[in-house]
């Protein structure tokens, strides 16, 4: 018997048994990552279902419309179109337009001027007005532009209407009833960058309509692999040197996470197919993609053939995961103060029929690892089969001799 046990221990195996896993967890020399073992239970399922991932709303402490940016301010790098309307002697490039005289001898231009519009002078029965567009003006790195006869103006933070009023005020002493219209030709200040797994990576200008994160992704063409599940796309948002990530599907399902974009935001769409790995006494050892929006533990085990009757220990089906630190604290496990995740092993006893229902509620995550432990008697049967293989030819030969 001693020889048999010694022979069993020397045979190769695909992984540890349940007792070996438990012993390694209690041994500080072997448990160098300080993992714990937690049995799957209704309380654990409830805790995991209540867990909330890091949310985009945390980057937007006050996302109310009152505090939202206007998205129509001017800043460095913008290109502006300034149009100036004058009456009488024009300061700028000629573009005179004759306007017929209105009823009662009053010119239409004068009537318009009286109503606050662009007026003109009545010359020979014709009201002469001039409309001029300056060459496109680029806002320099200091946030300034140069206006002929108006001098240098610091425009950073101004809206187009505020800049138009400022230019008008500077030209009033040099031009007769000037009217100014300003538009942004190339809006760099009020824009976000959308890149990664979208069809048209680009700079998306924001408008006073207040675009949200799903809006700018759609404006960039949406996902470049429409056949894949939205859960396989991660949205990475960078704002004020802070980064947050969420699955695209989470943003679609939770309107609170579809936050308003702010100038300077960077949105990266990352195609990241989710997968899990299975080791040990299963039908096959493999890495498998989810291919469905959600996947539970029961489905994951069945995809790989489940435990092998001749080798597996159904009492010891383990799931290895780096779990959220808040969950580990609720489980009473030690977690480093600065750590956001920690290692944990969840154990499922498949000999208990009620645990099959729990396995259907235990949701898989990307990079989860399932290990189905070997039965403690597996080595004995391996050794017995080896001995049988070695002595069977001799027994057969003896039988033939007889």
């Amino acid at each position: 018997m001693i020889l048999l046990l010694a022979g069993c221990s020397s045979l190769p195996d695909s992984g540890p048994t349940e007792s070996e896993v438990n012993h390694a967890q209690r041994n500080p020399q072997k448990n160098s990552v300080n993992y714990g073992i937690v049995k799957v239970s209704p309380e654990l399922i409830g805790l995991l279902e209540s867990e909330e991932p890091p949310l985009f709303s945390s980057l937007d402490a006050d996302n109310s419309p009152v505090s939202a940016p206007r998205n129509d301010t001017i800043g460095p790098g913008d290109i502006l179109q300034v149009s100036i309307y004058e009456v009488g002697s024009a300061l700028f490039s000629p573009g005179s337009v004759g306007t017929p005289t209105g009823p009662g001898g009053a010119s239409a231009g004068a009537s318009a001027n009286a109503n606050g519009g662009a007026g003109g002078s009545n010359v020979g029965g014709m009201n002469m007005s001039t409309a001029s567009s300056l060459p496109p003006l680029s806002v320099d790195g200091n946030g300034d532009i140069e206006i002929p006869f108006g001098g240098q103006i610091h425009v950073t933070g101004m809206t187009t209407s505020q800049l138009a009023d400022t230019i008008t005020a500077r030209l009033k002493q040099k031009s007769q009833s000037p009217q100014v219209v300003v538009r942004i030709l190339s809006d760099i200040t009020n824009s976000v960058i959308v890149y990664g797994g979208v069809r048209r990576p680009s700079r998306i200008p924001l408008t006073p309509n207040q675009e949200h994160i799903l809006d700018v992704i759609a404006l960039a063409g949406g996902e470049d692999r429409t056949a894949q599940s939205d859960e396989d796309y991660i949205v990475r948002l960078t704002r004020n040197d802070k980064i947050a990530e969420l699955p695209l599907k989470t943003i679609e399902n939770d309107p609170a996470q579809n936050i308003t974009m702010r100038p300077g935001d960077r949105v990266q769409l990352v195609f990241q197919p989710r997968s899990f790995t299975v080791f040990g006494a299963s039908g096959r050892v493999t890495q498998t993609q989810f291919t469905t929006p959600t996947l539970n533990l029961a489905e994951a085990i069945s995809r790989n053939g489940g435990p092998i009757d001749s080798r597996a220990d159904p009492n010891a089906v383990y799931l290895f995961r780096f779990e959220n630190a808040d969950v580990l604290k609720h489980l009473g496990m030690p977690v480093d103060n600065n750590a956001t995740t920690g290692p944990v092993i969840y154990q499922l006893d498949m000999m208990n029929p009620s645990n099959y229902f729990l396995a259907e509620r235990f949701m898989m995550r990307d990079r989860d690892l399932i290990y189905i432990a070997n039965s403690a008697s597996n080595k004995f049967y391996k050794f017995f089969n080896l001995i049988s293989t070695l002595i069977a030819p001799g027994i057969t030969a003896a039988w033939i001799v007889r």
Side-chain angles (χ1 to χ4, degrees), residues 56-390:
F56 282 169
S57 53
S58 63
L59 297 181
D60 209 10
D62 188 357
N63 197 30
S64 63
V66 175
S67 66
R70 293 176 53 94
N71 293 341
D72 61 352
T73 57
I74 303 169
D78 291 346
I79 298 178
L80 309 178
Q81 177 67 66
V82 178
S83 300
I84 302 174
Y85 298 84
E86 304 172 272
V87 294
S89 300
L91 282 173
F92 298 94
S93 300
S96 300
V97 179
T99 304
T101 303
S107 69
S111 300
N113 191 40
N115 292 320
S121 59
N122 190 1
V123 180
M126 299 292 290
N127 180 38
M128 304 300 295
S129 62
T130 302
S132 305
S133 292
L134 301 182
L137 301 174
S138 179
V139 182
D140 63 23
N142 296 322
D144 301 328
I145 61 171
E146 190 78 27
I147 296 292
F149 303 105
Q152 188 178 78
I153 301 175
H154 185 70
V155 298
T156 295
M158 284 187 176
T159 64
T160 53
S161 59
Q162 289 171 340
L163 176 57
D165 292 341
T166 300
I167 297 174
T168 299
R170 293 203 179 187
L171 296 179
K172 270 188 175 180
Q173 303 302 320
K174 303 174 183 178
S175 175
Q176 183 178 350
S177 300
Q179 302 290 320
V180 179
V181 175
V182 178
R183 339 187 258 116
I184 302 178
L185 294 181
S186 178
D187 197 347
I188 302 299
T189 301
N190 307 293
S191 64
V192 299
I193 300 295
V194 184
Y195 63 108
V198 292
R199 293 184 179 181
R200 295 188 299 274
S202 56
R203 182 189 297 274
I204 305 295
L206 300 177
T207 70
N209 191 48
Q210 303 296 326
E211 286 79 9
H212 294 74
I213 192 165
L214 292 181
D215 299 332
V216 299
I217 291 175
L219 290 171
E223 310 100 298
D224 58 356
R225 303 181 188 221
T226 54
Q228 298 293 331
S229 172
D230 285 354
E231 284 82 358
D232 288 329
Y233 279 94
I234 301 296
V235 179
R236 182 176 296 128
L237 172 63
T238 304
R239 172 178 291 178
N240 298 328
D241 298 325
K242 296 181 180 178
I243 300 176
E245 294 183 353
L246 275 181
L248 177 60
K249 194 67 176 180
T250 300
I251 305 173
E252 293 172 342
N253 292 338
D254 185 359
Q257 306 316 311
N258 187 26
I259 62 176
T260 304
M261 292 286 90
R262 295 181 180 272
D265 284 350
R266 302 179 71 87
V267 178
Q268 181 182 12
L269 196 61
V270 181
F271 178 62
Q272 186 172 298
R274 297 159 300 149
S275 64
F276 64 95
T277 306
V278 179
F279 288 102
S282 65
R284 52 181 177 157
V285 177
T286 184
Q287 183 182 48
T288 306
Q289 290 190 7
F290 279 35
T291 68
T292 56
T294 58
L295 185 72
N296 60 48
L297 180 56
E299 293 168 335
I301 294 173
S302 64
R303 282 193 185 186
N304 291 270
I308 298 178
D309 292 343
S310 60
R311 291 174 46 198
D313 179 4
N315 291 289
V317 176
Y318 297 106
L319 186 138
F320 292 68
R321 173 184 292 176
F322 279 93
E323 188 59 85
N324 186 283
D326 291 336
V327 173
L328 298 180
K329 290 176 182 177
H330 278 93
L331 294 172
M333 300 177 62
V335 183
D336 292 340
N337 292 333
N338 297 326
T340 57
T341 62
V344 64
I345 300 177
Y346 295 121
Q347 180 179 358
L348 179 71
D349 180 5
M350 296 187 69
M351 292 301 291
N352 183 349
S354 64
N355 284 347
Y356 283 77
F357 294 101
L358 296 180
E360 289 188 342
R361 292 178 54 194
F362 191 106
M363 305 311 297
M364 297 289 293
R365 295 184 192 163
D366 185 29
R367 300 183 184 179
D368 277 351
L369 188 155
I370 297 174
Y371 172 70
I372 301 177
N374 288 284
S375 171
S377 61
N378 184 43
K379 290 187 177 182
F380 174 78
Y381 285 113
K382 278 187 177 181
F383 185 74
F384 181 79
N385 291 334
L386 177 61
I387 294 299
S388 298
T389 302
L390 294 175

